Short mmCIF file of all heavy atoms in Angstrom, two decimals:
data_model
loop_
_atom_site.label_atom_id
_atom_site.label_comp_id
_atom_site.label_asym_id
_atom_site.label_seq_id
_atom_site.Cartn_x
_atom_site.Cartn_y
_atom_site.Cartn_z
N MET I 21 -6.12 18.18 -10.74
CA MET I 21 -5.20 19.15 -11.39
C MET I 21 -5.29 20.51 -10.80
O MET I 21 -4.30 21.23 -10.77
CB MET I 21 -5.58 19.14 -12.93
CG MET I 21 -4.66 19.94 -13.76
SD MET I 21 -3.12 19.08 -13.86
CE MET I 21 -2.34 20.12 -15.03
N THR I 22 -6.45 20.91 -10.44
CA THR I 22 -6.68 22.23 -9.81
C THR I 22 -5.85 22.35 -8.57
O THR I 22 -5.32 23.41 -8.33
CB THR I 22 -8.15 22.45 -9.54
OG1 THR I 22 -8.90 22.22 -10.72
CG2 THR I 22 -8.38 23.87 -9.03
N ILE I 23 -5.80 21.29 -7.75
CA ILE I 23 -5.03 21.40 -6.51
C ILE I 23 -3.51 21.64 -6.79
O ILE I 23 -2.85 22.33 -6.07
CB ILE I 23 -5.19 20.03 -5.73
CG1 ILE I 23 -6.65 19.91 -5.29
CG2 ILE I 23 -4.25 19.94 -4.54
CD1 ILE I 23 -6.99 18.57 -4.70
N VAL I 24 -3.06 21.07 -7.88
CA VAL I 24 -1.61 21.31 -8.23
C VAL I 24 -1.35 22.71 -8.66
O VAL I 24 -0.42 23.34 -8.29
CB VAL I 24 -1.21 20.31 -9.30
CG1 VAL I 24 0.24 20.59 -9.84
CG2 VAL I 24 -1.28 18.86 -8.85
N LEU I 25 -2.36 23.27 -9.48
CA LEU I 25 -2.13 24.57 -9.93
C LEU I 25 -2.49 25.68 -8.87
O LEU I 25 -1.82 26.77 -8.93
CB LEU I 25 -3.06 24.81 -11.17
CG LEU I 25 -2.73 23.96 -12.39
CD1 LEU I 25 -3.76 24.21 -13.49
CD2 LEU I 25 -1.36 24.25 -12.91
N PHE I 26 -3.40 25.41 -8.01
CA PHE I 26 -3.80 26.36 -6.97
C PHE I 26 -3.73 25.78 -5.60
O PHE I 26 -4.81 25.53 -5.01
CB PHE I 26 -5.15 26.94 -7.34
CG PHE I 26 -5.29 27.54 -8.69
CD1 PHE I 26 -5.88 26.90 -9.69
CD2 PHE I 26 -4.68 28.81 -8.98
CE1 PHE I 26 -6.02 27.41 -10.97
CE2 PHE I 26 -4.74 29.33 -10.23
CZ PHE I 26 -5.42 28.68 -11.28
N PRO I 27 -2.62 25.42 -5.04
CA PRO I 27 -2.57 24.71 -3.73
C PRO I 27 -3.13 25.63 -2.58
O PRO I 27 -3.61 25.04 -1.61
CB PRO I 27 -1.12 24.41 -3.52
CG PRO I 27 -0.42 25.39 -4.42
CD PRO I 27 -1.25 25.66 -5.54
N GLN I 28 -3.16 26.95 -2.73
CA GLN I 28 -3.68 27.76 -1.70
C GLN I 28 -5.19 27.53 -1.50
O GLN I 28 -5.69 27.81 -0.46
CB GLN I 28 -3.34 29.27 -1.95
CG GLN I 28 -3.95 29.85 -3.14
CD GLN I 28 -3.27 29.64 -4.45
OE1 GLN I 28 -2.29 28.84 -4.55
NE2 GLN I 28 -3.67 30.36 -5.49
N TRP I 29 -5.87 27.09 -2.53
CA TRP I 29 -7.29 26.86 -2.49
C TRP I 29 -7.62 25.78 -1.44
O TRP I 29 -8.59 25.87 -0.70
CB TRP I 29 -7.89 26.48 -3.81
CG TRP I 29 -7.98 27.57 -4.81
CD1 TRP I 29 -7.50 28.84 -4.65
CD2 TRP I 29 -8.56 27.51 -6.09
NE1 TRP I 29 -7.78 29.59 -5.74
CE2 TRP I 29 -8.39 28.83 -6.68
CE3 TRP I 29 -9.13 26.56 -6.84
CZ2 TRP I 29 -8.84 29.11 -7.92
CZ3 TRP I 29 -9.56 26.84 -8.11
CH2 TRP I 29 -9.43 28.11 -8.68
N THR I 30 -6.72 24.73 -1.39
CA THR I 30 -6.97 23.67 -0.39
C THR I 30 -6.85 24.24 1.05
O THR I 30 -7.62 23.81 1.95
CB THR I 30 -6.09 22.48 -0.62
OG1 THR I 30 -4.75 22.92 -0.51
CG2 THR I 30 -6.32 21.89 -1.97
N SER I 31 -5.85 25.10 1.24
CA SER I 31 -5.71 25.68 2.55
C SER I 31 -6.89 26.55 2.97
O SER I 31 -7.40 26.53 4.08
CB SER I 31 -4.43 26.53 2.60
OG SER I 31 -3.34 25.69 2.39
N ILE I 32 -7.41 27.30 1.99
CA ILE I 32 -8.55 28.20 2.27
C ILE I 32 -9.77 27.34 2.58
O ILE I 32 -10.48 27.57 3.57
CB ILE I 32 -8.81 29.09 1.04
CG1 ILE I 32 -7.67 30.11 0.87
CG2 ILE I 32 -10.16 29.81 1.18
CD1 ILE I 32 -7.70 30.88 -0.45
N LEU I 33 -9.98 26.29 1.74
CA LEU I 33 -11.16 25.42 2.00
C LEU I 33 -11.00 24.63 3.30
O LEU I 33 -11.91 24.46 4.05
CB LEU I 33 -11.29 24.41 0.82
CG LEU I 33 -12.48 23.47 0.83
CD1 LEU I 33 -13.80 24.29 0.97
CD2 LEU I 33 -12.46 22.61 -0.38
N ALA I 34 -9.76 24.21 3.64
CA ALA I 34 -9.48 23.48 4.88
C ALA I 34 -9.85 24.37 6.07
O ALA I 34 -10.45 23.87 6.99
CB ALA I 34 -8.05 23.00 4.86
N HIS I 35 -9.35 25.57 6.03
CA HIS I 35 -9.66 26.46 7.18
C HIS I 35 -11.14 26.73 7.31
O HIS I 35 -11.64 26.85 8.42
CB HIS I 35 -8.87 27.73 7.01
CG HIS I 35 -7.44 27.56 7.26
ND1 HIS I 35 -6.81 27.19 8.44
CD2 HIS I 35 -6.32 27.73 6.46
CE1 HIS I 35 -5.53 27.11 8.38
NE2 HIS I 35 -5.22 27.43 7.10
N ALA I 36 -11.84 26.84 6.17
CA ALA I 36 -13.28 27.06 6.23
C ALA I 36 -14.02 25.86 6.77
O ALA I 36 -15.07 26.07 7.45
CB ALA I 36 -13.80 27.36 4.79
N LEU I 37 -13.48 24.65 6.59
CA LEU I 37 -14.10 23.49 7.11
C LEU I 37 -13.58 23.09 8.45
O LEU I 37 -14.05 22.08 9.05
CB LEU I 37 -13.89 22.30 6.16
CG LEU I 37 -14.51 22.49 4.75
CD1 LEU I 37 -14.17 21.31 3.85
CD2 LEU I 37 -16.08 22.49 4.92
N GLY I 38 -12.62 23.82 9.01
CA GLY I 38 -12.12 23.56 10.32
C GLY I 38 -10.97 22.58 10.37
O GLY I 38 -10.68 22.02 11.43
N VAL I 39 -10.35 22.30 9.26
CA VAL I 39 -9.20 21.42 9.17
C VAL I 39 -7.99 22.29 9.21
O VAL I 39 -7.93 23.37 8.66
CB VAL I 39 -9.27 20.55 7.85
CG1 VAL I 39 -8.07 19.66 7.80
CG2 VAL I 39 -10.56 19.78 7.81
N GLY I 40 -6.93 21.73 9.88
CA GLY I 40 -5.69 22.58 10.10
C GLY I 40 -5.00 22.94 8.79
O GLY I 40 -4.65 24.12 8.60
N ARG I 41 -4.71 21.99 7.97
CA ARG I 41 -3.90 22.22 6.75
C ARG I 41 -4.64 21.73 5.52
O ARG I 41 -5.43 20.80 5.59
CB ARG I 41 -2.56 21.53 6.85
CG ARG I 41 -1.74 21.97 7.99
CD ARG I 41 -0.39 21.20 8.06
NE ARG I 41 -0.63 19.72 8.11
CZ ARG I 41 0.32 18.86 7.88
NH1 ARG I 41 1.54 19.25 7.64
NH2 ARG I 41 0.10 17.57 7.96
N GLY I 42 -4.28 22.33 4.41
CA GLY I 42 -4.90 21.89 3.10
C GLY I 42 -4.51 20.43 2.76
O GLY I 42 -5.33 19.72 2.22
N VAL I 43 -3.31 20.07 3.06
CA VAL I 43 -2.89 18.66 2.76
C VAL I 43 -3.68 17.64 3.62
O VAL I 43 -3.96 16.57 3.17
CB VAL I 43 -1.37 18.49 2.98
CG1 VAL I 43 -0.94 18.57 4.44
CG2 VAL I 43 -0.84 17.20 2.35
N ASP I 44 -3.98 18.02 4.87
CA ASP I 44 -4.88 17.13 5.66
C ASP I 44 -6.23 16.96 5.00
O ASP I 44 -6.75 15.85 5.01
CB ASP I 44 -5.06 17.64 7.06
CG ASP I 44 -3.71 17.68 7.84
OD1 ASP I 44 -2.80 16.90 7.50
OD2 ASP I 44 -3.62 18.51 8.79
N LEU I 45 -6.78 18.02 4.51
CA LEU I 45 -8.07 17.96 3.81
C LEU I 45 -8.00 17.01 2.60
O LEU I 45 -8.86 16.23 2.35
CB LEU I 45 -8.51 19.34 3.41
CG LEU I 45 -9.88 19.38 2.63
CD1 LEU I 45 -11.02 18.89 3.54
CD2 LEU I 45 -10.15 20.80 2.12
N VAL I 46 -6.90 17.17 1.80
CA VAL I 46 -6.78 16.32 0.64
C VAL I 46 -6.66 14.88 1.05
O VAL I 46 -7.23 14.02 0.38
CB VAL I 46 -5.52 16.77 -0.15
CG1 VAL I 46 -5.22 15.78 -1.26
CG2 VAL I 46 -5.74 18.17 -0.73
N ILE I 47 -5.95 14.61 2.11
CA ILE I 47 -5.82 13.18 2.62
C ILE I 47 -7.18 12.71 3.00
O ILE I 47 -7.56 11.49 2.66
CB ILE I 47 -4.78 13.09 3.74
CG1 ILE I 47 -3.41 13.33 3.13
CG2 ILE I 47 -4.84 11.76 4.45
CD1 ILE I 47 -2.28 13.48 4.21
N TYR I 48 -7.93 13.43 3.80
CA TYR I 48 -9.25 13.02 4.24
C TYR I 48 -10.16 12.71 3.07
O TYR I 48 -10.86 11.68 3.04
CB TYR I 48 -9.89 14.06 5.12
CG TYR I 48 -9.10 14.35 6.47
CD1 TYR I 48 -9.17 15.56 7.03
CD2 TYR I 48 -8.29 13.38 7.03
CE1 TYR I 48 -8.51 15.87 8.21
CE2 TYR I 48 -7.57 13.73 8.17
CZ TYR I 48 -7.72 14.92 8.78
OH TYR I 48 -7.00 15.21 9.97
N LEU I 49 -10.18 13.65 2.13
CA LEU I 49 -11.05 13.44 0.91
C LEU I 49 -10.57 12.22 0.09
O LEU I 49 -11.42 11.47 -0.50
CB LEU I 49 -11.01 14.65 0.05
CG LEU I 49 -11.71 15.90 0.67
CD1 LEU I 49 -11.54 17.11 -0.25
CD2 LEU I 49 -13.17 15.66 0.98
N SER I 50 -9.30 12.00 0.02
CA SER I 50 -8.75 10.87 -0.71
C SER I 50 -9.15 9.53 0.00
O SER I 50 -9.55 8.61 -0.69
CB SER I 50 -7.20 10.91 -0.79
OG SER I 50 -6.85 12.04 -1.56
N LEU I 51 -9.03 9.53 1.30
CA LEU I 51 -9.47 8.31 2.01
C LEU I 51 -10.97 8.06 1.89
O LEU I 51 -11.37 6.92 1.72
CB LEU I 51 -9.11 8.42 3.55
CG LEU I 51 -7.65 8.33 3.87
CD1 LEU I 51 -7.38 8.64 5.38
CD2 LEU I 51 -7.05 6.97 3.56
N ALA I 52 -11.76 9.08 1.90
CA ALA I 52 -13.19 8.92 1.72
C ALA I 52 -13.44 8.43 0.28
O ALA I 52 -14.35 7.54 0.11
CB ALA I 52 -13.92 10.22 1.93
N GLY I 53 -12.76 8.95 -0.69
CA GLY I 53 -12.90 8.47 -2.08
C GLY I 53 -12.54 7.00 -2.28
O GLY I 53 -13.19 6.20 -2.97
N ILE I 54 -11.45 6.65 -1.63
CA ILE I 54 -10.93 5.23 -1.75
C ILE I 54 -11.94 4.35 -1.07
O ILE I 54 -12.22 3.25 -1.58
CB ILE I 54 -9.52 5.14 -1.14
CG1 ILE I 54 -8.52 5.80 -2.04
CG2 ILE I 54 -9.15 3.67 -0.91
CD1 ILE I 54 -7.11 5.92 -1.42
N GLY I 55 -12.49 4.75 0.09
CA GLY I 55 -13.47 3.94 0.74
C GLY I 55 -14.69 3.75 -0.08
O GLY I 55 -15.28 2.64 -0.19
N PHE I 56 -15.20 4.79 -0.76
CA PHE I 56 -16.30 4.71 -1.64
C PHE I 56 -16.04 3.78 -2.78
O PHE I 56 -16.86 2.90 -3.12
CB PHE I 56 -16.70 6.11 -2.24
CG PHE I 56 -17.72 6.06 -3.27
CD1 PHE I 56 -19.10 5.89 -2.91
CD2 PHE I 56 -17.39 6.18 -4.63
CE1 PHE I 56 -20.04 5.80 -3.90
CE2 PHE I 56 -18.34 6.10 -5.58
CZ PHE I 56 -19.69 5.88 -5.22
N LEU I 57 -14.88 3.93 -3.42
CA LEU I 57 -14.52 2.99 -4.54
C LEU I 57 -14.44 1.58 -4.10
O LEU I 57 -14.83 0.71 -4.80
CB LEU I 57 -13.20 3.45 -5.17
CG LEU I 57 -13.25 4.80 -5.95
CD1 LEU I 57 -11.83 5.16 -6.41
CD2 LEU I 57 -14.20 4.66 -7.11
N TRP I 58 -13.89 1.37 -2.95
CA TRP I 58 -13.81 0.00 -2.38
C TRP I 58 -15.22 -0.65 -2.18
O TRP I 58 -15.47 -1.78 -2.52
CB TRP I 58 -12.99 -0.05 -1.08
CG TRP I 58 -12.84 -1.37 -0.51
CD1 TRP I 58 -12.01 -2.41 -0.90
CD2 TRP I 58 -13.62 -1.96 0.63
NE1 TRP I 58 -12.20 -3.50 -0.10
CE2 TRP I 58 -13.17 -3.25 0.83
CE3 TRP I 58 -14.61 -1.44 1.42
CZ2 TRP I 58 -13.70 -4.04 1.75
CZ3 TRP I 58 -15.11 -2.24 2.43
CH2 TRP I 58 -14.60 -3.55 2.57
N LEU I 59 -16.09 0.19 -1.62
CA LEU I 59 -17.44 -0.32 -1.36
C LEU I 59 -18.19 -0.60 -2.65
O LEU I 59 -18.91 -1.61 -2.84
CB LEU I 59 -18.26 0.59 -0.51
CG LEU I 59 -17.84 0.69 0.97
CD1 LEU I 59 -18.61 1.83 1.68
CD2 LEU I 59 -18.06 -0.63 1.62
N HIS I 60 -17.99 0.32 -3.62
CA HIS I 60 -18.57 0.13 -5.00
C HIS I 60 -18.10 -1.11 -5.66
O HIS I 60 -18.80 -1.86 -6.27
CB HIS I 60 -18.32 1.38 -5.81
CG HIS I 60 -18.88 1.30 -7.16
ND1 HIS I 60 -20.28 1.44 -7.40
CD2 HIS I 60 -18.33 1.11 -8.39
CE1 HIS I 60 -20.49 1.34 -8.73
NE2 HIS I 60 -19.36 1.11 -9.29
N ALA I 61 -16.77 -1.33 -5.56
CA ALA I 61 -16.17 -2.55 -6.21
C ALA I 61 -16.66 -3.80 -5.49
O ALA I 61 -16.91 -4.84 -6.19
CB ALA I 61 -14.63 -2.45 -6.09
N ALA I 62 -16.82 -3.80 -4.16
CA ALA I 62 -17.31 -4.92 -3.49
C ALA I 62 -18.78 -5.28 -3.88
O ALA I 62 -19.15 -6.42 -4.09
CB ALA I 62 -17.18 -4.70 -1.96
N ALA I 63 -19.59 -4.23 -4.05
CA ALA I 63 -20.96 -4.42 -4.40
C ALA I 63 -21.04 -4.96 -5.87
O ALA I 63 -21.86 -5.82 -6.18
CB ALA I 63 -21.73 -3.09 -4.31
N ARG I 64 -20.17 -4.43 -6.68
CA ARG I 64 -20.19 -4.92 -8.09
C ARG I 64 -19.73 -6.38 -8.13
O ARG I 64 -20.28 -7.18 -8.92
CB ARG I 64 -19.27 -4.00 -8.91
CG ARG I 64 -19.14 -4.36 -10.34
CD ARG I 64 -20.36 -3.80 -11.13
NE ARG I 64 -20.09 -4.11 -12.52
CZ ARG I 64 -20.94 -4.68 -13.33
NH1 ARG I 64 -22.08 -5.16 -12.88
NH2 ARG I 64 -20.65 -4.91 -14.56
N LEU I 65 -18.71 -6.72 -7.37
CA LEU I 65 -18.23 -8.09 -7.38
C LEU I 65 -19.36 -9.04 -6.89
O LEU I 65 -19.55 -10.12 -7.45
CB LEU I 65 -17.00 -8.21 -6.41
CG LEU I 65 -16.41 -9.58 -6.33
CD1 LEU I 65 -15.91 -10.05 -7.71
CD2 LEU I 65 -15.20 -9.56 -5.42
N LYS I 66 -20.15 -8.66 -5.84
CA LYS I 66 -21.19 -9.47 -5.35
C LYS I 66 -22.26 -9.67 -6.47
O LYS I 66 -22.82 -10.76 -6.64
CB LYS I 66 -21.81 -8.80 -4.12
CG LYS I 66 -22.92 -9.54 -3.52
CD LYS I 66 -22.52 -10.89 -2.97
CE LYS I 66 -23.71 -11.59 -2.32
NZ LYS I 66 -23.40 -12.97 -2.12
N GLU I 67 -22.56 -8.62 -7.20
CA GLU I 67 -23.48 -8.67 -8.25
C GLU I 67 -23.03 -9.63 -9.34
O GLU I 67 -23.78 -10.44 -9.88
CB GLU I 67 -23.69 -7.28 -8.90
CG GLU I 67 -24.65 -7.28 -10.09
CD GLU I 67 -24.72 -5.93 -10.77
OE1 GLU I 67 -24.33 -4.90 -10.16
OE2 GLU I 67 -25.20 -5.88 -11.92
N ILE I 68 -21.78 -9.55 -9.70
CA ILE I 68 -21.18 -10.44 -10.75
C ILE I 68 -21.21 -11.91 -10.25
O ILE I 68 -21.59 -12.82 -11.02
CB ILE I 68 -19.78 -10.00 -11.13
CG1 ILE I 68 -19.83 -8.71 -11.86
CG2 ILE I 68 -19.04 -11.07 -11.91
CD1 ILE I 68 -18.48 -8.08 -12.07
N GLU I 69 -20.94 -12.12 -8.95
CA GLU I 69 -20.98 -13.50 -8.41
C GLU I 69 -22.39 -14.05 -8.47
O GLU I 69 -22.58 -15.24 -8.82
CB GLU I 69 -20.45 -13.46 -6.98
CG GLU I 69 -18.99 -13.29 -6.82
CD GLU I 69 -18.56 -13.18 -5.38
OE1 GLU I 69 -19.40 -13.05 -4.48
OE2 GLU I 69 -17.33 -13.24 -5.18
N THR I 70 -23.37 -13.22 -8.14
CA THR I 70 -24.78 -13.64 -8.21
C THR I 70 -25.18 -14.04 -9.66
O THR I 70 -25.84 -15.00 -9.90
CB THR I 70 -25.69 -12.55 -7.66
OG1 THR I 70 -25.29 -12.24 -6.30
CG2 THR I 70 -27.16 -12.99 -7.65
N ARG I 71 -24.84 -13.16 -10.60
CA ARG I 71 -25.13 -13.48 -12.00
C ARG I 71 -24.41 -14.72 -12.50
O ARG I 71 -25.02 -15.46 -13.24
CB ARG I 71 -24.72 -12.25 -12.86
CG ARG I 71 -25.62 -11.00 -12.64
CD ARG I 71 -25.18 -9.83 -13.40
NE ARG I 71 -25.29 -10.10 -14.83
CZ ARG I 71 -24.82 -9.31 -15.79
NH1 ARG I 71 -24.16 -8.18 -15.46
NH2 ARG I 71 -25.00 -9.61 -17.05
N LEU I 72 -23.22 -14.98 -12.06
CA LEU I 72 -22.47 -16.17 -12.49
C LEU I 72 -23.15 -17.39 -11.88
O LEU I 72 -23.28 -18.39 -12.55
CB LEU I 72 -21.00 -16.04 -12.07
CG LEU I 72 -20.14 -17.22 -12.43
CD1 LEU I 72 -20.09 -17.35 -13.96
CD2 LEU I 72 -18.75 -16.99 -11.86
N THR I 73 -23.57 -17.27 -10.66
CA THR I 73 -24.27 -18.42 -10.01
C THR I 73 -25.52 -18.73 -10.73
O THR I 73 -25.89 -19.86 -11.01
CB THR I 73 -24.55 -18.12 -8.53
OG1 THR I 73 -23.33 -17.85 -7.90
CG2 THR I 73 -25.26 -19.28 -7.88
N ASP I 74 -26.33 -17.68 -11.06
CA ASP I 74 -27.55 -17.90 -11.83
C ASP I 74 -27.31 -18.49 -13.27
O ASP I 74 -28.03 -19.38 -13.66
CB ASP I 74 -28.32 -16.56 -12.01
CG ASP I 74 -28.84 -16.01 -10.68
OD1 ASP I 74 -28.96 -16.84 -9.72
OD2 ASP I 74 -29.21 -14.83 -10.64
N LEU I 75 -26.25 -18.08 -13.88
CA LEU I 75 -25.86 -18.58 -15.19
C LEU I 75 -25.50 -20.06 -15.07
O LEU I 75 -25.90 -20.90 -15.92
CB LEU I 75 -24.77 -17.79 -15.81
CG LEU I 75 -24.28 -18.21 -17.16
CD1 LEU I 75 -25.45 -18.15 -18.21
CD2 LEU I 75 -23.06 -17.38 -17.62
N ALA I 76 -24.72 -20.38 -14.03
CA ALA I 76 -24.25 -21.78 -13.85
C ALA I 76 -25.50 -22.66 -13.57
O ALA I 76 -25.59 -23.79 -14.10
CB ALA I 76 -23.28 -21.83 -12.76
N ARG I 77 -26.42 -22.20 -12.75
CA ARG I 77 -27.64 -23.01 -12.56
C ARG I 77 -28.44 -23.17 -13.83
O ARG I 77 -28.96 -24.26 -14.09
CB ARG I 77 -28.51 -22.25 -11.49
CG ARG I 77 -27.98 -22.38 -10.14
CD ARG I 77 -28.88 -21.66 -9.18
NE ARG I 77 -28.31 -21.68 -7.83
CZ ARG I 77 -28.48 -20.79 -6.83
NH1 ARG I 77 -29.36 -19.78 -7.11
NH2 ARG I 77 -27.91 -20.92 -5.71
N HIS I 78 -28.57 -22.15 -14.60
CA HIS I 78 -29.30 -22.22 -15.89
C HIS I 78 -28.65 -23.24 -16.78
O HIS I 78 -29.36 -24.07 -17.38
CB HIS I 78 -29.40 -20.85 -16.49
CG HIS I 78 -30.10 -20.84 -17.85
ND1 HIS I 78 -31.45 -20.92 -17.91
CD2 HIS I 78 -29.68 -20.75 -19.08
CE1 HIS I 78 -31.83 -20.91 -19.12
NE2 HIS I 78 -30.79 -20.78 -19.89
N VAL I 79 -27.37 -23.18 -16.95
CA VAL I 79 -26.68 -24.05 -17.86
C VAL I 79 -26.79 -25.51 -17.33
O VAL I 79 -27.07 -26.45 -18.08
CB VAL I 79 -25.19 -23.69 -17.99
CG1 VAL I 79 -24.36 -24.76 -18.69
CG2 VAL I 79 -25.06 -22.39 -18.73
N SER I 80 -26.69 -25.67 -16.03
CA SER I 80 -26.77 -26.99 -15.45
C SER I 80 -28.14 -27.62 -15.68
O SER I 80 -28.29 -28.80 -16.00
CB SER I 80 -26.50 -26.94 -13.94
OG SER I 80 -26.58 -28.20 -13.34
N LEU I 81 -29.20 -26.83 -15.48
CA LEU I 81 -30.54 -27.32 -15.70
C LEU I 81 -30.79 -27.56 -17.20
O LEU I 81 -31.50 -28.53 -17.53
CB LEU I 81 -31.58 -26.31 -15.17
CG LEU I 81 -31.69 -26.14 -13.67
CD1 LEU I 81 -32.59 -25.05 -13.28
CD2 LEU I 81 -32.15 -27.51 -13.11
N ALA I 82 -30.26 -26.74 -18.05
CA ALA I 82 -30.39 -26.98 -19.49
C ALA I 82 -29.73 -28.31 -19.97
O ALA I 82 -30.22 -28.98 -20.82
CB ALA I 82 -29.86 -25.79 -20.25
N GLU I 83 -28.59 -28.60 -19.31
CA GLU I 83 -27.85 -29.81 -19.71
C GLU I 83 -28.56 -31.13 -19.19
O GLU I 83 -28.38 -32.15 -19.84
CB GLU I 83 -26.42 -29.74 -19.23
CG GLU I 83 -25.56 -28.76 -20.00
CD GLU I 83 -24.11 -28.70 -19.44
OE1 GLU I 83 -23.82 -29.40 -18.38
OE2 GLU I 83 -23.35 -27.99 -20.01
N THR I 84 -29.30 -30.98 -18.18
CA THR I 84 -29.94 -32.26 -17.61
C THR I 84 -31.19 -32.57 -18.37
O THR I 84 -31.70 -33.68 -18.26
CB THR I 84 -30.31 -31.99 -16.05
OG1 THR I 84 -31.11 -30.90 -15.96
CG2 THR I 84 -28.95 -31.86 -15.25
N ARG I 85 -31.75 -31.62 -19.14
CA ARG I 85 -32.97 -31.85 -19.87
C ARG I 85 -32.76 -32.59 -21.07
O ARG I 85 -32.17 -32.96 -21.84
CB ARG I 85 -33.67 -30.57 -20.16
CG ARG I 85 -34.20 -29.89 -18.95
CD ARG I 85 -34.94 -28.67 -19.31
NE ARG I 85 -35.24 -27.97 -18.07
CZ ARG I 85 -35.55 -26.64 -17.96
NH1 ARG I 85 -35.56 -25.97 -19.00
NH2 ARG I 85 -35.82 -26.15 -16.77
#
């Protein structure tokens, strides 16, 4: 929301970081954020798959007894 209200801040920050334009900085930060979210979702999915496998094993062993 701040970027919408004060777009000149992105330009100032971009120049301070050595990026040409503020919009480029916003794109770079957005791509980094999307990459982080993708990695987080992949890790969470792996955790859920592991828990589901453990649960299926537990139920299977309980039914055979």
Side-chain angles (χ1 to χ4, degrees):
M21 185 69 173
T22 305
I23 294 171
V24 174
L25 295 175
F26 305 104
Q28 66 275 12
W29 288 3
T30 58
S31 296
I32 293 168
L33 184 59
H35 289 297
L37 295 174
V39 179
R41 300 179 303 168
V43 69
D44 293 337
L45 178 65
V46 171
I47 290 171
Y48 299 152
L49 293 176
S50 297
L51 288 173
I54 289 170
F56 172 78
L57 290 175
W58 180 76
L59 288 174
H60 180 71
R64 181 77 173 127
L65 181 59
K66 180 64 178 166
E67 178 187 342
I68 290 171
E69 288 174 348
T70 303
R71 290 177 65 190
L72 182 60
T73 301
D74 292 342
L75 179 62
R77 286 180 184 153
H78 179 75
V79 169
S80 178
L81 289 173
E83 288 180 357
T84 58
R85 293 181 186 161

